[in-house]
């Protein structure tokens, strides 16, 4: 017994422990590394815990804890009446992580050792990963809103105090029944309120049973892609159009076919000519990004197309609430009697995008499938957001806020139109803006588009190029694709006024 | 002029308006119906607004508003100096919605007229819709937690007061930069805190850049399915196992191949025999639902398989925080040095499932693709939940709550084990439960499983059948698949004690 320190079956002197950190965890790591890299071979005997403790000046407790963890994870085993040995393990690949990367000894850097060069340099170019490589876009602009960011409503006017109170009210005493797994189609009360809103304010006949809550319009589109498309099938999209929808379709392996848009909306003659296509994606209220409203004739032709093809139409009504004369237009779905239209709505353009709350209004025969698909995709949406939005609607805040937002967007539109620098060479006249949160102005050439955007950026004004909204293989020439897309609702009037003044200066100086 | 009332170009007498509702909206609807069903043919002239107002005893304003909406939507057009006419429209399908279903005249029922019989009876059985038909499960049980619901932690102990305060604090004055479109990979602060937690508490070396926030574990699995599988490819899953994962894989058109589980976890020899398979899904910490911990030897074999196949392993560590002796086991991902393991973590089993917050820890070469895929799927998670969880972690509530939950689950496990009715004929002994939130007990036959579950339900005790966790085409016989799966954490000790007493009575009475 007395000679034990001199016959330690394993020499622990290489183990250096940082006294400021958890010691048993470090010892566990150090021994684990040695088992995995072979320094402690299968069958090696480990010192008894008291000897290891003495050798490393540790408490015996720390050693026991480290041994326990190694034992629980299968690195070591004990033989009754004998001692502790390294387990018999399969021949190890040299690539198995030795845990050296864990940084326990320094507690700091973990970056260097995590990845091996051969894995990070692996090139992925087939299948869904490859398709994604070919169908991604720069992410939407982030940071504080500024003129003229696209896609943002006037959320500086959102009643955050009301929202905060409703959130606190929900969470202080939530119903336990709401905290487990919920209905994948969404909270029943919220669906009921949305259906009522759509019937009363949008002329869209529907019931709560047809509504599936989504994480914003994007998830609605993504679910459509997953459920209605197979690899190799064709989906028709507006061109120019909402590229994030096209990319969601492309990810499934479907072929995305652009269809031209004219002053009446989607060119239905061109759509009819697309072969093997049974799904189309449109923005009839306010085409994204051109701003055209689809004519009634085209709506009827589009519905006839879907019936003839036994197909589906996705109607993305992303900003249909914003109409500056009279009521919002009735959606295409309100004309659909044969269950062909999947209507996409969102709270992102009334409240704010980061809420990630939207919905689908589905033909009855698709409701169950979408609900099941959503269960497999995300189970359901976070419960608090749904419950609080239901309260927000039930107490009348939502309808009040829509009116407030419409008025604000109108005023901001007017500010943009009043201050817009007309007559700059190469920029066509600003069109009348009857709806929505953005306006598209054509310019004479792609080169000019790029220069104007760059100059705008130089005076802290954000403008999107219309050319970015076209599919890569469009028929239109480069210069036909050129234009400026300006969101006018993101910032208050004063900031808009200042921004158009800066634009007038930077564009005027350089162009005239 | 004086004879106008007698020469109304269109007889409005059939139009009945409900005086309690918006009149212009009703008139708009009534006229729209007549245009669409042909009673008001293309080119028909409408009465001047003042005549229409007189004929229907409406204010002229109401008529003008209705006409404006019909005009905006393209149903009517005006000819200068002449009057108002119904537009020339494409020949209408008889199936176009006449809007009769809108229920504006009664303001009540909308159900009857929404759907035509031919569309609702349409049968869908091919493509993703068909696959979904074949790969869905009954949804998880909902309603208030009761013994022995699976998948629920002791969320009666969650500090909802803290959560409510943090929510209110976030929403009272949110940073405008956080309310637009955020990072699809998740809020940077939350990712940083998760990485720190995994390094310190789970021995998983990773950095914030490798983390992608998800809507719970299910979205993590669904993203893996969308990105790593093509139709026709094979994915290996544990059998019995987590069926919602298998179904998410099947939805992509991949073939789901069950691989047996023994006392060491997934049978790697059987896995090696699966052809054309480069993706496997496993629950190594605590196999779902059998509760087996994967041995170190199997872990190393599994990693070697992935390297040999140039494939991927999805590690679902759904309840890895719950270990009742010593620290939680290091995850499989901690052994992975060649970037083969995609680690799935969730807050659903520490906080509560309806939070829908989870994460992936990804090999570096996959991070960008998953982030892009998530952008196409949902953009990102709701901002408040992410920000509040970050605060919850940063202020130490999370670590405290894990300790509280582990202690509670242990106590509830002990209550179940102490009260469990041993010796009921056909029920094997309750195994030792070293980890997780549920226990699986084998029974002798499928028939017995069904009877026991039915009897339990009759005394308000919820038990899942092990047979439901098997793939339909399993090798195991019906009786080999039989068992009881009990979640022991969902309700407090007193309720568990009462439930096992009721079980002892109802099972004892009928079996012994």
């Amino acid at each position: 017994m007395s000679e034990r320190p001199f016959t330690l079956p394993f020499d622990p002197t290489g183990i250096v422990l940082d006294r400021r950190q958890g010691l048993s965890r470090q010892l566990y790591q150090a021994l684990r590394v040695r088992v995995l890299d072979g320094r402690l071979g299968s069958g090696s005997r480990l010192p008894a815990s008291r000897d290891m403790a003495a050798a490393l000046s540790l408490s015996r407790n720390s050693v026991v804890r480290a041994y326990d963890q190694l034992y629980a994870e299968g690195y070591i085993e004990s033989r009754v009446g004998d001692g502790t040995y390294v387990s018999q393990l399969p021949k190890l690949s040299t690539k198995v992580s030795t845990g050296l990367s864990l940084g326990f000894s320094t507690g700091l850097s973990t970056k260097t050792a995590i990845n091996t060069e051969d894995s990070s340099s692996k090139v992925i170019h087939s299948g869904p990963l490859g398709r994604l490589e070919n169908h991604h876009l720069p992410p939407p602009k982030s940071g504080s809103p500024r003129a003229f960011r696209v896609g943002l409503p006037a959320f500086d006017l959102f009643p955050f105090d009301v929202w905060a109170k409703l959130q606190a009210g929900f969470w202080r005493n939530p119903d336990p029944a709401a905290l487990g797994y919920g209905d994948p189609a969404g909270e029943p009360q919220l669906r009921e309120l949305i259906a009522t809103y759509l019937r009363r304010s949008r002329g869209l006949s529907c019931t709560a049973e047809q509504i599936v809550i989504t994480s914003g319009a994007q998830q609605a589109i993504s679910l459509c892609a997953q459920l209605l498309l197979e690899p190799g099938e064709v989906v028709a999209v507006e061109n120019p159009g909402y590229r994030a929808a096209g990319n969601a379709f492309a990810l499934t392996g479907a072929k995305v076919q652009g269809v031209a848009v004219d002053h009446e909306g989607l060119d239905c003659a061109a759509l009819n000519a697309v072969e093997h296509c049974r799904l189309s994606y449109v923005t009839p209220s306010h085409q994204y990004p051109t701003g055209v409203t689809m004519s009634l004739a085209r709506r009827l032709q589009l519905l006839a197309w879907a019936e003839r093809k036994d197909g589906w139409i996705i109607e993305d009504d992303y900003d249909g609430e914003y109409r500056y004369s009279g009521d919002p237009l009735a959606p295409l779905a309100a004309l659909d009697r044969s269950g062909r239209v999947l209507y996409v709505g969102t709270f992102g353009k009334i409240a704010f995008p980061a809420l990630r709350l939207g919905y689908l209004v589905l033909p009855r025969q698709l409701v169950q499938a979408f609900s099941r698909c959503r269960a497999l995709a995300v189970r359901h949406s976070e419960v608090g957001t749904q419950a609080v939005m239901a309260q927000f609607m039930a107490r009348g805040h939502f309808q009040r806020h829509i009116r407030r937002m419409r008025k604000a967007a109108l005023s901001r539109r007017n500010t943009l139109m009043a201050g817009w620098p007309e007559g700059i060479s190469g920029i066509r006249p600003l069109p009348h803006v009857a709806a929505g949160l953005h306006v598209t102005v054509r310019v004479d050439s792609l080169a000019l588009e790029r220069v104007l955007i760059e100059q705008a950026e130089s005076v802290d004004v954000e403008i999107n190029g219309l050319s970015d909204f076209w599919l890569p293989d469009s028929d239109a020439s480069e210069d036909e694709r050129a234009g400026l897309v300006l969101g006018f609702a993101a910032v208050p009037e004063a900031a808009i006024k200042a921004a158009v003044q800066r634009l007038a200066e930077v564009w005027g100086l350089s162009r005239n």
Side-chain angles (χ1 to χ4, degrees), chain A residues 187-213 347 359-361 364 393 398-399:
Chain A
E187 290 298 307
Q189 196 202 352
L190 179 61
R191 294 164 69 201
E192 200 65 70
L193 287 159
I194 291 172
T196 304
Y197 160 69
L198 292 173
R199 287 197 305 267
R200 291 202 185 146
S201 300
R202 305 301 312 280
L204 178 53
S205 166
C206 61
T207 63
E209 293 71 34
Q210 290 176 271
I211 302 212
V212 170
I213 303 293
F347 289 101
Y359 49 88
L360 278 160
V361 185
R364 285 183 187 279
M393 296 180 87
F398 181 69
Q399 285 285 17

Side-chain angles (χ1 to χ4, degrees), chain A residues 70-264:
Chain A
L70 290 165
Y71 174 76
E73 295 187 358
Y75 290 91
I76 59 176
E77 52 197 31
S78 63
R79 299 184 194 159
V80 178
D82 187 350
T84 305
Y85 293 83
V86 174
S87 305
Q88 287 290 345
L89 294 173
K91 202 171 174 311
L92 304 181
S93 155
T94 53
K95 283 193 178 170
V96 165
S97 173
T98 58
L100 280 170
S101 59
L102 283 162
F104 276 105
S105 60
T106 68
L108 291 172
S109 168
T110 57
K111 287 202 181 177
T112 49
I114 281 168
N115 218 11
T116 55
E117 294 221 342
D118 54 338
S119 66
S120 61
S121 63
K122 193 167 156 185
V123 180
I124 295 156
H125 43 62
S126 66
L129 288 166
R131 291 197 291 271
L132 200 60
E133 194 61 38
N134 299 324
H135 293 90
H136 75 273
L137 297 170
K141 302 275 171 47
S142 59
S144 287
R146 56 175 185 157
F148 291 97
R149 184 168 298 162
V150 172
L152 297 191
F155 63 64
D156 46 304
L157 303 176
F158 187 77
F160 288 106
D161 53 336
V162 171
W163 195 258
K165 267 183 212 144
L166 293 174
Q167 283 278 1
F170 175 80
W171 287 114
R172 263 196 300 268
N173 194 18
D175 177 2
L179 301 174
Y181 292 100
D183 188 335
E187 290 298 307
Q189 196 202 352
L190 179 61
R191 294 164 69 201
E192 200 65 70
L193 287 159
I194 291 172
T196 304
Y197 160 69
L198 292 173
R199 287 197 305 267
R200 291 202 185 146
S201 300
R202 305 301 312 280
L204 178 53
S205 166
C206 61
T207 63
E209 293 71 34
Q210 290 176 271
I211 302 212
V212 170
I213 303 293
T214 60
S215 298
Q218 189 67 34
Q219 189 184 33
I221 295 164
S222 170
L223 291 175
C224 291
Q226 283 178 70
L227 273 182
L228 304 178
L229 285 173
E230 284 271 65
E233 289 185 350
V234 179
V235 52
V237 301
E238 298 164 331
N239 193 25
Y242 183 50
R243 295 288 307 279
N247 287 342
F249 299 134
L251 184 59
T252 67
K255 183 175 173 332
V256 178
Q257 177 66 53
V259 173
V261 175
D262 62 21
H263 65 286
E264 285 195 74

Side-chain angles (χ1 to χ4, degrees), chain A residues 335-356:
Chain A
L335 281 175
D336 172 32
R337 195 164 168 78
S338 56
R340 303 288 170 184
V341 178
L342 297 84
Y343 176 90
V344 176
T346 177
F347 289 101
K349 301 284 189 276
I350 294 294
F352 45 89
L355 189 61
R356 308 313 308 137

Side-chain angles (χ1 to χ4, degrees), chain A residues 18 23 27 97 99 126 135 173 181 186 287 394 430 467 500:
Chain A
D18 178 346
L23 293 168
L27 176 60
S97 173
S126 66
H135 293 90
N173 194 18
Y181 292 100
Q287 202 271 332
L430 196 71
S467 61
V500 283

Side-chain angles (χ1 to χ4, degrees), chain A residues 263-278:
Chain A
H263 65 286
E264 285 195 74
L266 189 82
D267 180 345
C268 286
L271 174 64
N272 282 326
V274 179
E275 290 185 352
H276 310 299
C277 174
R278 289 179 53 219

